[in-house]
């Protein structure tokens, strides 16, 4: 009843090809943006912002990056953590070498650094496919993790081998460093994530998205219609790593305020991978669903006993969290391999005919 | 010029002037390689028979070892504990088949691969919860495994061979030979290979997928137990082993995902390559290159042979 | 769409000629010393018993396989080695026996993918989905919709192709090939698995493509009725060799062809 397209006729191809052709979807989108930009900063607690919203946005962006590679182009990558790290360390070096330049420029530029590294480690993709390519990305992951410790220049020879983010301002307000407030950082992260998601959406709905999906579905046929496989794959690596790099820079500068090699290790790669799997391969909204789920669930699990008045040790909660996440991964794969995004689509389908059953 | 000397000449000179050290390094590499190979063997078993890339193989190694030690610490005699652990691994195989493999029977391989991620996390949580997260000492003596070393005088110095390592190599060889024979010669082995090729075809000739899967995951569990015992005997049993298990991947790259002898050969190549690299070239680059050297070796191999050393060339029919 | 005669080579001349092509896989000889040509604007059928090497022949023309001997001249240019995407750029499009569609995409997207060669808006315009990129999308969407109307698949164009019945999938695949506006269209058993009605539809489409757009067509087909009705000339292969070449009437009466199909040892 509410979610019907009846009466919404498209009179031009342009209108039909719009990303959100249904009016209700557009309204929903505006509502979400309003809540995100206005309601949450005003009413959300610091805990909500620092522990939930900012990390979900940052990881969601990384998940989009990985999804472009795995979900849209079909190239398995286990090096997400490392590419995020490249972004973080690049941003750090740029910010400390050129303190006068606006930090936001460096956040974006560090994405380019990550893109370059991504293309480098994507070069084998011409000859190597599938699982074997995944192992090549593991080489990237472990090698770069090693570099993050063994190349002291990256962290300005800091004794603790970690990077501490300097204070930088934007329009006079501190956005990074100890004096930046969660609200400020949240708004900066939100803006960057919204813009970059919009760009990704444009890409995947156009020619480049089709090229990627063609490579994923049947690369022989893709060659047949004139697609240059190598270039398409490398472009996927470049764009994907760009997104992961920016996410990494934001992780260091706008979320944690510090970072070290361990922040970008193989476990980080797995974390983002789970987000993509659970959220839905080949879906941008799915990437955010996955981030919300994978990030939010442990927090809920950790706080639930306190809410119910049960006292369980922190260690046990950790263990239960591990087991629950693992079990839920399997559960979701059984119930809906296409992830939360697909469940959302099914829900919308049902909503279309609501209140009728079919 | 100096750099070239350091990379190409110096290490060879070092090898030449202290050949006993070279042999020692080679031996260490061989030993590590055998252990990698055992982990890879578990992968190969499951992949060969069910097409599933069992990411949880590493954690199964840890879990098996922990169960053994945990039972012993609670007062169960060593060999009884061993028997009980075997029963536990059988139970685990049943549970995996019933709860994970059966519901996902027709899904593409990547879904099953991701399901094994979930399995990994479950086993990590479960293992930590039951047995605690502290590293444990393997019950080598209680299992009558040899201790100590044999020092062989050779090449102007001496080479020290740990007896446990020799035992590990022997046990591994026996297992590999046994498994190879099992796959080729027995009825169940043939059924396993049929299932690996095509689930549907295997079903249509009456092979019970469920039985086969339990068998093969149980076998992988036994291999994991043996690996865990051997590995734990050399260093402690801890969850760090899980990451080391990822090293099995380069082994599989070299040896192929479906070849049992390939797992051994690949393991040995990676083990030796790693140790030589770390010992002779490590100081040049900084320590810790073991963490990525194996993967880079595998990557270089892949560039020349995208299907691995023993892998089958995938012919895409149009 | 394009009018007849816009191809470089004038009608009646060969747009493609295969000269003494031999292809072997290990010890198996797929093609032995095969030579024939395809004239611009004609419909050429390649027929023969199973295993005769027909698909291999198409794969060679396409650039999937490189023949050990012989050469191929396309549009007057001699080719040494060609990759499939070069063939595509040169104006050769192809369908497959086993329907090589992109299963994760809708029919519309599959056919739009066929327009990839013609779409040039650069990466940054794509990023913003603005200006040249958006105009291009709409312009090509228009062309694709024409193809969809032509093939009468408008009712399923937003359906994911993996869900479509086989006959419709084959039509979508034809649509994708047509979207490339090829000079030479290679069809590998386009009627396979179809009932009579579907075959008639497909035959009509093939004839229309040839008449309206002037596309040269080479097709592999088993159904003799279709071959006789549709094709201008026929080449017959058996065990990798050419055993006949001529009009359908000539080929039908050729003794060697009859023997091949009846399985007489020769």
């Amino acid at each position: 009843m509410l979610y019907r397209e009846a009466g919404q006729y498209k009179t031009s191809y342009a209108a039909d090809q719009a990303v959100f052709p249904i009016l209700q979807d557009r309204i929903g989108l505006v509502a979400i943006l309003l809540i995100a930009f206005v309601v949450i900063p005003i009413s959300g607690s610091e805990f909500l912002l620092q522990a939930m919203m900012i990390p979900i946005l940052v990881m969601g962006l990384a998940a989009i990056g990985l999804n472009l590679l795995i979900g849209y182009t079909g190239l398995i990558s286990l090096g997400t953590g490392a590419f995020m790290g490249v972004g973080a360390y690049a941003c750090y070096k740029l910010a400390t070498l050129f303190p006068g330049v606006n930090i936001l420029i460096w956040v974006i530029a560090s994405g380019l650094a990550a893109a370059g590294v991504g293309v480098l480690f994507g070069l084998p993709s011409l000859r190597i496919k599938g699982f074997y390519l995944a192992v090549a990305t593991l080489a990237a992951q472990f090698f770069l993790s090693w570099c993050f410790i063994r190349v002291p220049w990256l962290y300005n020879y800091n004794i603790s081998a970690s990077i501490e983010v300097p204070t930088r301002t934007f329009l006079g307000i501190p956005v990074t460093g100890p004096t930046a407030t969660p609200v400020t950082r949240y708004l900066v992260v939100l803006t960057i994530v919204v813009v970059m998601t919009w760009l990704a959406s444009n890409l995947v709905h156009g020619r480049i998205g089709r090229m990627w999906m063609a490579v994923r579905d049947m690369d022989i046929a893709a060659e047949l219609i004139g697609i240059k496989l190598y270039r398409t794959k490398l472009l996927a690596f470049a764009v994907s790593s760009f997104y992961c790099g920016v996410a990494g820079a934001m992780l260091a500068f706008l979320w944690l305020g510090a970072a070290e090699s361990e922040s970008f290790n193989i476990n980080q790669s797995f974390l983002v991978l789970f987000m993509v799997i659970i959220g839905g391969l080949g879906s941008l909204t799915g990437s955010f669903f996955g981030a919300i789920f994978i990030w939010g669930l442990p927090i809920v699990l950790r706080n639930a006993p306190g809410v119910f008045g049960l006292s369980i040790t922190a260690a046990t909660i950790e263990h239960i969290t591990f087991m629950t996440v693992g079990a839920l991964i399997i559960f979701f794969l059984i119930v809906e391999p296409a992830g939360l995004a697909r469940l959302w689509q099914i829900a919308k389908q049902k909503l279309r005919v609501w209140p009728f059953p079919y | 010029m100096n750099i070239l000397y350091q990379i190409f000449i110096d290490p060879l000179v070092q090898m030449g002037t202290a050949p006993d050290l070279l042999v020692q390094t080679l031996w260490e590499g061989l030993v590590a390689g055998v252990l990698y190979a055992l982990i890879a063997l578990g992968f190969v078993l499951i992949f060969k028979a069910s097409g599933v890339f069992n990411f949880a193989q590493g954690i199964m190694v840890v879990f098996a070892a922990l169960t053994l030690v945990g039972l012993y610490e609670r007062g169960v005699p060593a060999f009884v504990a061993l028997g009980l652990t075997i029963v536990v691994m059988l139970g685990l195989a049943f549970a995996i088949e019933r709860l994970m493999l059966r519901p996902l029977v027709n899904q593409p391989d990547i879904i099953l691969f991701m399901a094994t991620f979930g399995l990994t996390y479950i086993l990590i949580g479960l293992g930590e919860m039951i047995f605690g997260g502290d590293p444990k000492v393997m019950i080598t003596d209680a299992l009558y495994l040899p201790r100590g070393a044999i020092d062989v005088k050779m090449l102007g110095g001496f080479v020290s061979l740990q007896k446990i390592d020799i035992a590990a190599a022997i046990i591994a060889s026996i297992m590999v030979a046994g498994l190879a024979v099992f796959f080729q010669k027995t009825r169940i082995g043939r059924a396993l290979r049929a299932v690996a090729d095509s689930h549907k075809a295997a079903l249509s000739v009456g092979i019970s997928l469920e039985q086969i899967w339990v068998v093969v995951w149980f076998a992988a569990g036994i291999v994991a137990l043996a690996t865990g015992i051997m590995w734990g005997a050399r260093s402690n049993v801890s969850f760090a082993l899980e990451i080391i298990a990822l090293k099995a991947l380069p082994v599989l790259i070299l040896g192929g995902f479906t070849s049992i002898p390939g797992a051994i050969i690949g393991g040995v190549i990676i083990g030796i390559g790693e140790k030589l690299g770390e010992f002779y070239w490590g100081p040049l680059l900084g320590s810790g290159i073991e963490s990525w050297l194996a993967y880079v070796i595998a990557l270089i191999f892949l560039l020349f042979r995208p299907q691995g050393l023993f892998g089958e060339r995938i012919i895409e029919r149009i | 769409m394009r009018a007849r005669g816009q191809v470089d080579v004038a009608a009646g001349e060969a747009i493609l000629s295969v000269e003494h092509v031999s292809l072997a896989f290990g010890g198996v000889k797929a093609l032995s010393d095969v030579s024939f040509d395809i004239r611009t604007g004609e419909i050429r059928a390649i027929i023969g018993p199973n295993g005769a090497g027909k698909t291999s022949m198409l794969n060679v023309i396409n650039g999937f396989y490189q023949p050990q001997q012989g050469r191929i001249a396309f549009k007057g240019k001699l080719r040494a080695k060609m990759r499939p995407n070069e063939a595509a750029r040169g104006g050769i499009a192809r369908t497959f026996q086993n329907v090589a569609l992109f299963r994760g995409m809708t029919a519309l997207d599959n056919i739009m993918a066929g327009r990839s060669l013609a779409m040039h808006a650069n990466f940054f315009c794509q990023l913003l989905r603005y200006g040249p990129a958006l105009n291009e999308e709409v312009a090509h969407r228009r062309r694709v919709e024409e193809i969809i109307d032509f093939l009468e698949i408008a009712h399923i164009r937003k359906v994911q192709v993996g869900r479509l019945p086989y006959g419709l999938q084959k039509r979508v695949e034809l649509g994708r090939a047509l979207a490339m506006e090829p000079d030479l269209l290679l069809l590998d058993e386009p009627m396979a698995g179809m009932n009579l009605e579907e075959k008639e539809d497909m035959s009509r489409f093939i004839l229309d493509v040839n008449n309206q757009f002037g596309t040269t067509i080479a097709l592999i087909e088993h159904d003799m009725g279709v071959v006789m009705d549709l094709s201008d000339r026929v080449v017959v292969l058996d065990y990798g060799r050419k055993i006949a070449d001529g009009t359908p009437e000539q080929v039908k009466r050729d003794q060697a062809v009859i023997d091949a199909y009846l399985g007489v040892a020769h």
Side-chain angles (χ1 to χ4, degrees):
Chain A
M1 216 165 64
L2 292 172
Y3 194 62
R4 296 223 60 117
E5 300 145 62
Q8 297 179 36
Y9 293 110
K10 302 287 172 286
T11 50
S12 73
Y13 290 127
D16 191 49
Q17 280 175 314
V19 176
F20 290 104
I22 302 177
L23 181 62
Q24 286 88 337
D25 276 337
R26 285 205 283 266
I27 295 178
L29 185 65
V30 172
I32 293 179
L33 287 176
L34 262 171
I35 297 177
F37 273 99
V38 178
V39 174
I40 291 189
I42 295 180
S43 61
S45 69
E46 276 210 7
F47 174 77
L48 180 73
L49 292 175
Q50 177 67 13
M52 291 277 281
M53 297 309 302
I54 296 182
I56 286 177
L57 286 170
V58 168
M59 300 305 277
L61 194 68
I64 286 186
L66 185 59
N67 216 338
L68 290 177
L69 203 52
I70 290 191
Y72 285 92
T73 319
L75 300 168
I76 307 180
S77 164
L78 294 173
T80 318
F83 295 136
M84 288 170 74
V86 173
Y89 283 94
C91 196
Y92 181 67
K93 291 303 296 180
L94 288 168
T96 50
L97 283 172
F98 306 104
V101 178
N102 190 321
I103 187 66
L104 298 177
I105 296 183
W106 288 145
V107 169
I108 303 298
S110 56
L112 291 173
V117 173
V119 167
L120 193 64
F121 282 97
L123 288 174
S125 67
L126 175 64
R127 303 252 304 163
I128 311 176
K129 289 186 179 187
F131 279 140
Y132 299 111
L133 187 61
V135 177
T137 57
L138 271 183
Q141 170 66 57
F142 287 116
F143 177 70
L144 289 168
S145 278
W146 178 83
C147 286
F148 295 151
I149 304 183
R150 291 278 160 215
V151 182
W153 172 79
L154 284 176
Y155 42 86
N156 287 342
Y157 301 94
N158 192 340
I159 297 184
S160 62
S162 67
I163 55 180
E164 274 148 39
V165 164
T167 306
R168 291 284 181 272
T169 65
F170 181 69
L171 300 178
I173 309 173
V175 292
T176 68
T179 52
T181 65
V183 175
T184 326
R185 289 185 280 119
Y186 166 74
L187 285 172
V188 173
V189 169
L190 182 64
T191 313
I192 295 180
V193 170
V194 165
V195 168
M196 287 187 72
T197 307
W198 173 66
L199 293 177
S201 166
N202 290 340
L203 274 185
V204 304
H205 282 94
R207 167 179 65 102
I208 294 183
R210 278 193 296 272
M211 279 165 45
W212 283 340
M213 290 193 276
V215 168
R216 172 195 68 194
D217 284 342
M218 196 180 290
D219 53 0
I220 301 180
E223 260 199 301
L224 263 200
I225 57 180
I227 293 178
K228 292 185 184 151
L229 286 185
Y230 203 23
R231 274 210 210 158
T232 311
K233 291 183 186 178
L234 286 181
L235 184 65
F237 268 104
V239 175
S240 164
S241 309
F242 181 84
Y243 275 71
C244 294
V246 173
M250 290 201 298
L251 183 152
F253 275 73
L254 292 161
W255 173 22
L256 296 177
E260 47 163 9
S261 177
E262 287 302 294
S263 322
F264 307 111
N265 63 11
I266 183 84
N267 289 316
Q268 189 75 288
S269 299
F270 289 147
L271 202 65
V272 182
L273 181 64
F274 295 158
M275 291 179 187
V276 169
I277 298 173
I278 298 249
L281 288 162
S283 159
L284 293 179
T285 46
S287 311
F288 285 110
F289 284 146
I292 294 173
F293 186 82
I294 296 281
W295 188 261
L297 180 67
I299 296 185
V300 167
L301 286 176
R302 269 183 218 126
N303 291 313
V307 167
F308 287 106
L310 303 165
S311 67
I312 310 181
T313 65
T316 313
I317 293 183
E318 271 306 295
H319 305 151
I320 296 184
T321 307
F322 266 91
M323 292 202 295
T324 317
V325 171
L328 280 170
I329 289 179
I330 297 183
F331 174 75
F332 266 102
L333 288 173
I334 294 176
V335 160
E336 183 46 79
L340 290 170
R342 163 73 86 169
L343 286 177
W344 171 242
Q345 269 188 347
I346 295 178
K348 286 208 291 189
Q349 276 296 97
K350 296 234 183 285
L351 205 54
R352 268 175 153 127
V353 294
W354 182 77
F356 302 106
Y358 59 86
Chain B
M1 197 51 227
N2 197 24
I3 282 287
L4 288 176
Y5 183 84
Q6 279 187 309
I7 295 178
F8 289 111
I9 312 290
D10 214 18
L12 294 175
V13 166
Q14 280 185 5
M15 286 187 206
T17 51
D20 56 331
L21 266 184
L22 176 62
V23 172
Q24 181 79 52
T25 313
L26 287 172
W27 170 252
E28 300 286 327
L30 183 71
V31 167
V34 163
L35 288 170
Y36 291 150
L38 281 179
I39 302 182
L41 192 60
F43 276 113
V44 166
L45 278 179
I46 293 182
F47 192 80
K48 214 169 151 69
S50 59
V52 176
F53 188 81
N54 179 23
F55 187 79
Q57 187 66 27
I59 193 64
M60 276 164 66
V61 170
V62 179
F63 190 76
L66 274 181
T67 308
L68 180 62
V69 175
L71 286 171
Y72 184 77
E73 281 182 355
R74 280 162 177 72
V76 179
F79 283 95
V80 177
L82 189 62
L84 279 179
T85 309
I86 294 179
V87 171
V88 166
M89 297 315 279
L90 181 62
L92 188 62
F94 266 107
I96 291 174
E97 190 275 319
R98 190 73 186 71
L99 298 172
M100 193 177 93
L101 295 177
R102 216 185 285 188
L104 290 173
V105 69
N106 269 324
Q107 298 289 352
D109 292 334
I110 187 138
I111 300 285
L112 283 158
F113 169 57
M114 295 177 183
T116 60
F117 272 104
L119 180 61
T120 307
Y121 270 59
I122 294 180
L123 288 178
I124 291 180
L126 195 60
E128 278 194 352
M129 199 163 75
I130 301 180
F131 302 110
D134 311 316
K136 299 200 187 304
V137 178
M138 180 47 65
I139 52 175
T140 340
D141 295 331
L143 289 172
Y144 296 101
L145 290 168
R147 255 192 202 282
I150 306 176
D151 289 337
V152 179
K153 244 173 115 60
M154 62 153 74
L155 298 171
F158 68 92
V159 175
S160 177
L161 310 172
Q162 293 283 333
K163 288 187 198 165
I164 187 70
D165 294 339
I166 301 177
I170 296 176
I171 293 180
S173 319
I174 297 176
M175 266 204 304
V176 166
L179 283 168
V181 163
F182 178 70
F183 266 94
Q184 288 300 120
K185 303 289 181 191
T186 67
R187 181 180 59 89
I188 296 190
R190 200 166 38 239
L192 283 168
R193 282 184 285 138
V195 168
D197 237 356
S198 163
H199 289 181
K200 287 191 208 162
L203 275 173
S204 64
V205 297
I207 296 177
S208 161
L209 284 182
E210 292 91 36
Q211 267 182 18
I212 296 295
W213 286 339
V214 172
V215 167
V216 81
W217 281 76
F218 177 51
I222 300 298
V223 171
L225 177 57
T227 315
I229 295 175
M230 294 302 149
W231 203 299
R234 308 183 76 238
S235 49
N236 293 326
V237 180
S238 77
F239 282 92
L241 199 52
E242 212 266 303
I243 297 297
I244 295 179
L246 280 178
K247 286 271 181 68
L249 289 177
V251 172
L252 289 167
I253 298 278
L254 290 188
F257 282 73
T258 53
S259 163
I260 292 179
I264 301 300
I265 297 179
V268 168
I269 294 178
I270 291 287
I272 291 181
E274 235 188 18
K275 278 287 183 294
L276 280 180
E278 173 73 45
F279 195 70
Y280 289 103
W281 280 271
L284 188 62
L285 291 167
S287 65
I289 67 174
E290 274 183 322
S291 66
W292 50 264
L293 191 57
Y295 298 97
V296 172
I297 295 176
L299 181 56
I300 295 175
F301 259 99
L302 276 181
L303 290 173
F304 293 105
R305 253 185 95 88
Q307 71 274 29
L309 264 185
F310 288 86
E312 289 143 14
R313 236 218 165 123
I314 306 169
I315 303 187
E316 308 198 49
R317 294 223 83 205
I318 307 167
Chain C
M1 289 237 176
R2 284 184 8 249
R4 220 185 172 120
Q6 274 190 349
V7 180
D8 287 325
V9 183
E13 285 180 21
I15 188 174
L16 182 95
S17 77
V18 176
E19 295 169 24
H20 304 288
V21 162
S22 294
L23 178 72
F25 301 109
V28 179
K29 277 185 152 283
L31 297 167
S32 302
D33 196 31
V34 176
S35 303
F36 63 92
D37 65 12
I38 304 179
R39 295 193 196 130
T40 315
E42 75 169 335
I43 298 183
R44 191 82 143 109
I46 303 176
I47 68 175
N50 278 324
K54 311 186 290 291
T55 301
S56 300
M57 190 71 247
L58 283 196
N59 285 339
V60 167
I61 296 176
N62 219 158
F64 272 130
Y65 298 153
Q66 315 295 339
Q68 277 83 15
Q69 281 158 348
R71 31 186 230 176
I72 303 189
F74 178 60
K75 288 198 212 169
K77 262 202 305 213
L78 213 52
R79 294 165 14 182
K81 283 190 177 303
M82 196 186 274
R83 297 231 66 209
N85 72 28
E86 286 168 18
R89 274 154 216 281
I92 303 180
R94 179 165 170 187
T95 68
F96 289 88
Q97 239 175 317
N98 296 324
V99 183
L101 283 176
F102 306 123
R103 286 174 196 278
M105 291 159 60
T106 63
L108 179 61
D109 276 339
N110 263 278
I111 303 179
M112 283 289 277
R115 299 298 296 172
S116 297
L117 272 177
M119 296 176 81
H120 300 294
N122 69 30
F123 176 74
F124 290 102
C125 289
Q126 291 280 338
L127 209 48
L128 297 172
R129 202 176 169 82
Y130 170 77
L134 196 54
N135 294 340
E136 217 180 39
E137 283 279 313
V138 175
H140 287 283
R141 170 72 182 270
R142 187 154 287 131
R143 303 290 262 254
V144 165
E145 290 285 344
E146 286 170 14
I147 296 177
I148 290 177
D149 280 340
F150 171 71
L151 290 171
E152 295 164 17
I153 46 178
H155 57 294
I156 46 103
R157 67 203 203 293
K158 295 254 175 108
V159 176
Q160 204 184 3
V161 296
R163 306 226 178 103
L164 291 173
Y166 185 67
L168 284 176
Q169 285 188 11
K170 284 198 102 85
R171 250 192 255 181
V172 174
E173 204 194 9
L174 179 61
R176 189 183 66 189
L178 290 178
M180 292 167 65
E181 295 189 16
D183 297 320
L184 174 61
L185 182 59
L186 307 173
L187 301 174
D188 196 342
E189 297 202 32
M191 316 279 181
M194 291 189 177
N195 63 29
L196 187 59
E197 199 181 303
E198 290 168 329
K199 282 193 192 183
E200 286 177 358
D201 284 339
M202 191 57 108
S203 303
R204 185 164 41 92
F205 294 139
I206 294 176
L207 277 173
D208 282 344
V209 168
N210 181 249
N211 280 330
Q212 285 179 28
F213 309 141
T215 313
T216 312
I217 298 182
L219 77 145
I220 295 178
E221 190 43 59
H222 278 297
D223 184 331
M224 280 307 132
V226 166
V227 172
M228 296 304 152
D229 282 341
L230 286 187
S231 42
D232 298 318
R233 291 192 303 151
V234 179
V235 65
V236 188
L237 298 179
D238 187 29
Y239 287 111
R241 292 179 193 285
K242 182 174 87 167
I243 60 173
D245 184 350
T247 67
E249 281 308 309
Q250 290 170 334
V251 161
K252 200 163 66 168
R253 288 193 296 265
D254 186 310
Q255 189 57 40
V257 175
I258 298 173
D259 285 345
Y261 272 95
L262 288 179
V264 174
H266 57 278

